[in-house]
Amino acid sequence: MRDLGFIAARTNILSYSYPVAKIPRAVCKLQETIPPVNSESGCLTGAVNLKSSNRNPVVQEFESVELSCIITDSQTNDPRIEWKKIQDDQTAYVFFDNKIQGDLAGRAELLGKTSLKIWNVTRTDSAIYRCEVVARNDRKEIDEIVIELTVQVKPVPPVCRVPKAVPVGKSATLHCQESEGYPRPHYSWYRNDVPLPTDSRANPRFRNSSFLLNPETGTLVFSAVHKEDSGQYYCIASNDAGSARCEEQELEVYDLNIGGIIGGVLVVLAVLALITVGICCAYRRGYFINNKQNGESYKNTGKPDGVNYIRTDEEVQSEGTKQKPFRKPRNRGVPNRESNILPRNPSDSYRKKG
């Protein structure tokens, strides 16, 4: 009976027509447990809710994109709208105080009431964007929605490196690299306009080859090249935004001429032998000795006129039999230049004639 009386009293309170400005707070609190009443009652009965038609938009570089943010429920006629950009753990305003902010100024605008449109997107626009709405007249005042934007970038022509010539049976590696495309591109190699498989053993057409292709890194590795591997090679880098290729480069596979190598070695040895024999013959004929003597003659200067030299014992011994020992001529009454030579003084190596 007490419960029935409480329900009747609650019904009477709700059915009583209060002026809007004087509605007791207890009445609004009580309405939260029952279906919402008309907004004319003055109670905050609404709740702002957001949705998006595409939470993961993907667009190519230099195109336009719309970041969808739609208010589904709200009792507020003029809610506050904010857009934020989250990139590399940093948050920046995109739309705040009713205007575009940051690097999107001049190429973005608010579309409709809450959505955001960006023109001429670049790779730096790839980020997480958060739409926030504040409705002061709603019971639930704040709601937000997160949108992840991906900007795809077309690859540029890759850099290819192909060896010009490789001998048969040797290994060879071809490289292909591209650093501008996003998402990261995949690589494929072509020989004479024919696509190469990732493994030559998987295709009977290439049974005479032995190579492996890594589509992630762009390397094409030959474990042992054959004559059939000669040709024009080029690489293509591709992703969802497009593709690009490098210029053709020729790979030549040649036979290793063992006979020619041996012949060349023999020729070099023969030339070295002839040079050795020539040096020995020249030495036996005295070419090197004569040159030595000429060098000594050049060092010995001539005696000046009117000067007599007396050789030392060391000079006489060094000359040996090449020159007779000095002898004092006998004086027979005939004037002689050497007759005036005095006995050798150890302190003087020579004396002038008086």
Side-chain angles (χ1 to χ4, degrees):
M1 296 296 294
R2 294 179 59 184
D3 294 339
L4 293 176
F6 174 76
I7 294 174
R10 174 182 169 183
T11 305
N12 292 334
I13 293 175
L14 296 177
S15 61
Y16 182 81
S17 178
Y18 288 97
V20 173
K22 297 181 179 180
I23 296 180
R25 182 176 296 272
V27 175
C28 292
K29 196 71 176 178
L30 197 58
Q31 287 184 350
E32 295 180 5
T33 60
I34 61 175
V37 298
N38 193 292
S39 60
E40 295 179 356
S41 63
C43 294
L44 303 180
T45 59
V48 60
N49 290 306
L50 302 177
K51 73 173 184 178
S52 176
S53 59
N54 187 3
R55 292 200 177 196
N56 300 100
V58 178
V59 64
Q60 294 188 14
E61 194 175 25
F62 307 124
E63 294 183 352
S64 61
V65 63
E66 177 184 346
L67 306 183
S68 173
C69 179
I70 304 171
I71 300 177
T72 57
D73 298 308
S74 178
Q75 300 296 326
T76 304
N77 295 327
D78 189 18
R80 189 180 72 188
I81 311 298
E82 292 181 0
W83 278 91
K84 296 178 182 178
K85 178 181 179 181
I86 305 172
Q87 188 179 51
D88 298 331
D89 296 330
Q90 296 183 356
T91 302
Y93 279 106
V94 173
F95 183 82
F96 178 74
D97 198 16
N98 292 325
K99 61 181 179 180
I100 301 296
Q101 308 279 342
D103 58 352
L104 291 182
R107 58 187 184 96
E109 68 172 357
L110 207 62
L111 189 64
K113 195 172 184 179
T114 51
S115 296
L116 184 68
K117 187 170 184 178
I118 305 174
W119 291 285
N120 195 27
V121 296
T122 64
R123 66 193 70 190
T124 59
D125 295 330
S126 292
I128 295 176
Y129 294 83
R130 187 167 64 207
C131 174
E132 299 178 359
V133 176
V134 179
R136 297 297 183 184
N137 297 334
D138 289 15
R139 177 167 48 87
K140 177 189 172 186
E141 296 183 354
I142 301 175
D143 196 15
E144 63 181 35
I145 193 170
V146 174
I147 299 173
E148 184 176 1
L149 173 62
T150 301
V151 179
Q152 296 179 341
V153 181
K154 181 181 178 180
V156 299
V159 177
C160 299
R161 298 196 303 273
V162 179
K164 294 183 178 180
V166 181
V168 172
K170 296 295 183 179
S171 61
T173 302
L174 285 66
H175 299 274
C176 181
Q177 293 181 343
E178 196 278 337
S179 58
E180 297 294 329
Y182 184 85
R184 187 174 180 178
H186 288 75
Y187 302 95
S188 56
W189 277 95
Y190 290 76
R191 182 179 68 198
N192 299 328
D193 295 328
V194 176
L196 300 180
T198 56
D199 191 346
S200 60
R201 297 171 297 180
N203 192 329
R205 184 176 182 178
F206 302 94
R207 61 180 179 273
N208 293 329
S209 298
S210 57
F211 61 81
L212 291 174
L213 168 61
N214 189 332
E216 301 294 332
T217 61
T219 56
L220 177 63
V221 180
F222 290 87
S223 58
V225 295
H226 300 79
K227 293 291 290 183
E228 294 80 3
D229 296 324
S230 298
Q232 298 289 334
Y233 286 80
Y234 64 88
C235 169
I236 294 181
S238 58
N239 61 9
D240 294 337
S243 62
R245 55 168 286 182
C246 64
E247 295 294 332
E248 292 183 351
Q249 300 183 38
E250 183 177 4
L251 171 63
E252 178 186 359
V253 180
Y254 61 91
D255 292 321
L256 194 61
N257 190 354
I258 304 298
I261 295 175
I262 296 175
V265 173
L266 293 178
V267 170
V268 173
L269 293 177
V271 172
L272 293 176
L274 291 175
I275 293 174
T276 304
V277 171
I279 293 174
C280 292
C281 292
Y283 185 81
R284 290 179 180 180
R285 293 183 180 183
Y287 287 105
F288 297 101
I289 297 176
N290 292 336
N291 292 336
K292 183 177 180 181
Q293 292 177 352
N294 293 335
E296 292 177 353
S297 302
Y298 174 77
K299 294 180 182 178
N300 295 330
T301 59
K303 301 177 183 178
D305 294 339
V307 180
N308 294 328
Y309 291 88
I310 298 178
R311 295 176 177 83
T312 62
D313 295 338
E314 290 80 6
E315 291 177 346
V316 172
Q317 293 177 2
S318 63
E319 291 183 0
T321 58
K322 293 182 181 179
Q323 187 175 354
K324 295 180 179 181
F326 175 77
R327 292 181 182 180
K328 183 178 180 180
R330 289 177 294 179
N331 188 1
R332 297 179 181 179
V334 180
N336 193 328
R337 295 175 60 185
E338 296 181 358
S339 62
N340 295 328
I341 298 176
L342 299 177
R344 192 175 70 181
N345 190 346
S347 62
D348 298 328
S349 60
Y350 65 86
R351 292 185 60 185
K352 292 185 178 180
K353 184 179 178 180

